[in-house]
Amino acid sequence: MTVHSFEEHFEEKLDKDIAIEPRDWMPDTYRKTLIRQISQHAHSEIVGMLPEGNWITRAPSLRRKAVLLAKVQDEAGHGLYLYSAAETLGVSRDELYDQLHSGKAKYSSIFNYPTLTWADMGAIGWLVDGAAIMNQVPLCRTSYGPYARAMVRVCKEESFHQRQGFEIMLTLSNGTEVQKKMAQDALNRWWWPSIMMFGPPDAESPNTEMSVRWKIKRFTNDELRQKFIDVTVEQTKILGLEVPDKDLKWNEERGHYDFGAIDWAEFWNVVKGNGPCNKERLETRKKAWEEGEWVREAAAAYAEKRKKKAGEQQAA
Amino acid sequence: MSQQTAEHKSEWPLWEVFIRSKAGLDHKHAGSLHAADAQMAIENARDVYTRRMEGVSIWVVESKYIHTSDPDESASMYEPANDKIYRHPTFYNLPDELKHM
Ligand SMILES: [Fe+2]
Ligand SMILES: [Fe+2]
């Protein structure tokens, strides 16, 4: 087959919604776009453990603690599913870690905000995992097979993450005046960063068009953001809390909520590394990696020793 | 399934994980992971792929031992089966009155 016909065959598969698998021919840019997106996604799951890990020892009850621990462990799993999906594209795990630790690769900016109170565990589960689910459900049908399969597994597990978060918010909202205030404060701080999670507006998102054409992305950033706002505003009513947006208004004609201007300057500032916790997150992550070095070495040495022993026994 | 292109010194080898979701079913590919040896691969597979009782049995095999067919040769590879529709029961024209067949 000539390059031309390889490309035609690839496009034909996309048109017919036939998944692209690791050994199939794919354009270089498709491969690069996927490696970037999947690894960014994996990094986000891994760094995303840090803000919540911060509260595991201080969870208010054993039940909450067990739940938070299970949630954070799931996020580690999500990172691992995604790293191995990225590896099918020919990049190594070490390279991916290196890109994260050197600051070359990005992860979701949302994790560069601090978790100040217990209510933040509620707001993160409800809003951050909620926004992630909105992003991830269409990815279960993304064109690259290993990515889509990883996302199916991730989405199955995400649902409890959001529900446990909402439950925390609900409990606080129905609690004392102070608890309710705590919940509102968390909503105030997490609302805008959460709706920024969908990424820059379509007009300023250079990769969106290509990604939609290649069926990597199924919806644009703005479409998903609107969908998230529409459902989340309704959920806020159940909590009896207020969305921190004075321009928020139901638009009968559009059948959607209109919302206020997003502070994109803040978004880009955090992306560039100047958010409240960028430095701390990366340092914590690097420290964990470096201090785990001896464990990795010891396990490799032990495996080697056992292999040798088994060889000797066979020879004997 | 993953392919390891280069040898990475510090990296534990890559393993493919297959899980039997319940007795009576085949093991099915679940994904891959890195581990120092087979025992560690099985333990890691339990933590990564069966946190919600997804499995009753785990197989792991080092990825480098898996060989795959070449997708670019699919056309000729599966061609012999193409024109043998008589291998399917629907190929045979039998009267509607015929039961239990
Ligand atoms: Fe996750
Ligand atoms: Fe989650």
Side-chain angles (χ1 to χ4, degrees):
Chain A
M1 268 196 274
T2 60
V3 172
H4 181 69
S5 69
F6 275 127
E7 193 149 1
E8 268 176 3
H9 188 57
F10 172 79
E11 302 272 347
E12 201 182 289
K13 277 201 214 156
L14 288 184
D15 286 343
K16 290 188 191 155
D17 272 328
I18 297 173
I20 308 299
E21 293 294 343
R23 304 253 330 230
D24 293 345
W25 185 91
M26 61 186 86
D28 265 356
T29 22
Y30 176 83
R31 186 185 299 274
K32 277 191 195 126
T33 304
L34 276 171
I35 291 178
R36 200 198 57 231
Q37 182 173 330
I38 300 172
S39 61
Q40 263 182 26
H41 194 160
H43 300 327
S44 302
E45 302 282 356
I46 297 300
V47 177
M49 291 192 281
L50 300 175
E52 287 178 299
N54 179 37
W55 279 91
I56 290 174
T57 56
R58 291 175 289 160
S61 70
L62 193 55
R63 175 180 184 270
R64 294 283 186 214
K65 186 176 184 163
V67 168
L68 188 57
L69 203 54
K71 179 188 188 288
V72 171
Q73 196 189 2
D74 272 355
E75 307 301 4
H78 299 173
L80 294 175
Y81 308 154
L82 287 160
Y83 280 129
S84 57
E87 282 170 278
T88 63
L89 291 158
V91 65
S92 75
R93 184 74 62 96
D94 274 358
E95 281 172 82
L96 295 172
Y97 284 161
D98 198 54
Q99 287 168 5
L100 172 64
H101 298 154
S102 68
K104 195 180 148 218
K106 300 280 176 230
Y107 54 85
S108 180
S109 279
I110 193 81
F111 303 118
N112 289 318
Y113 291 87
T115 44
L116 304 177
T117 72
W118 170 251
D120 289 12
M121 296 305 98
I124 287 182
W126 172 39
L127 299 173
V128 176
D129 288 79
I133 291 169
M134 203 61 91
N135 254 324
Q136 289 168 357
V137 167
L139 288 176
C140 295
R141 296 185 299 124
T142 193
S143 58
Y144 187 57
Y147 190 22
R149 292 191 285 276
M151 291 319 301
V152 168
R153 196 169 281 125
V154 167
C155 285
K156 264 193 216 152
E157 300 181 352
E158 281 297 341
S159 165
F160 113 71
H161 297 183
Q162 194 186 19
R163 290 172 69 94
Q164 65 86 34
F166 194 83
E167 193 195 63
I168 292 174
M169 291 301 272
L170 194 62
T171 307
L172 291 171
S173 302
N174 293 331
T176 64
E177 227 12 75
V178 178
Q179 286 171 324
K180 189 166 179 182
K181 244 172 107 181
M182 202 161 107
Q184 180 66 55
D185 167 65
L187 171 55
N188 292 348
R189 283 180 293 108
W190 290 96
W191 175 258
W192 291 102
S194 297
I195 66 175
M196 288 181 203
M197 276 177 72
F198 297 94
D202 295 347
E204 289 153 42
S205 172
N207 302 320
T208 291
E209 203 197 311
M210 202 55 171
S211 289
V212 169
R213 200 164 73 82
W214 277 337
K215 298 190 178 175
I216 295 175
K217 263 183 163 177
R218 295 281 179 163
F219 297 97
T220 69
N221 297 353
D222 286 333
E223 284 168 341
L224 290 169
R225 183 170 11 251
Q226 183 71 62
K227 211 170 147 198
F228 176 73
I229 291 173
D230 290 346
V231 304
T232 312
V233 169
E234 295 305 317
Q235 294 168 352
T236 313
K237 289 178 186 166
I238 298 175
L239 296 174
L241 298 178
E242 226 173 287
V243 175
D245 178 359
K246 59 179 173 23
D247 297 319
L248 191 79
K249 213 175 128 222
W250 179 253
N251 184 324
E252 194 64 62
E253 209 175 299
R254 289 203 310 127
H256 291 295
Y257 276 97
D258 288 338
F259 51 94
I262 298 171
D263 185 357
W264 291 111
E266 177 190 321
F267 174 79
W268 290 114
N269 196 40
V270 181
V271 170
K272 282 190 192 113
N274 306 318
C277 302
N278 295 55
K279 239 186 117 210
E280 185 191 326
R281 297 286 184 247
L282 205 56
E283 263 161 24
T284 310
R285 174 62 215 156
K286 278 198 312 217
K287 189 166 166 252
W289 177 248
E290 280 156 17
E291 289 179 0
E293 173 95 55
W294 72 269
V295 179
R296 295 191 295 276
E297 275 171 9
Y302 183 60
E304 197 51 47
K305 193 174 115 190
R306 266 209 300 210
K307 206 157 94 188
K308 237 171 136 184
K309 224 178 182 173
E312 274 160 22
Q313 265 166 7
Q314 240 166 23
Chain B
M1 197 196 314
S2 306
Q3 55 193 74
Q4 241 173 346
T5 44
E7 210 49 65
H8 295 276
K9 221 171 53 203
S10 65
E11 222 176 71
W12 287 335
L14 192 66
W15 300 75
E16 299 302 323
V17 177
F18 300 83
I19 291 174
R20 186 201 296 286
S21 56
K22 65 176 201 198
L25 296 182
D26 291 323
H27 285 76
K28 201 177 144 211
H29 186 237
S32 43
L33 48 74
H34 290 270
D37 60 13
Q39 189 188 331
M40 186 187 208
I42 288 176
E43 283 161 8
N44 287 358
R46 179 207 49 202
D47 292 343
V48 178
Y49 292 105
T50 67
R51 286 194 302 283
R52 288 173 176 75
M53 325 238 302
E54 289 95 336
V56 294
S57 162
I58 296 173
W59 284 353
V60 295
V61 58
E62 240 189 285
S63 308
K64 67 178 182 194
Y65 294 120
I66 293 196
H67 303 270
T68 73
S69 59
D70 182 351
D72 297 333
E73 279 165 14
S74 290
S76 55
M77 176 90 167
Y78 303 109
E79 196 276 328
N82 251 342
D83 57 355
K84 293 176 184 64
I85 45 167
Y86 45 82
R87 282 176 174 164
H88 296 276
T90 47
F91 176 76
Y92 301 90
N93 256 326
L94 301 176
D96 289 346
E97 311 82 271
L98 181 70
K99 300 286 180 225
H100 307 295
M101 192 179 282

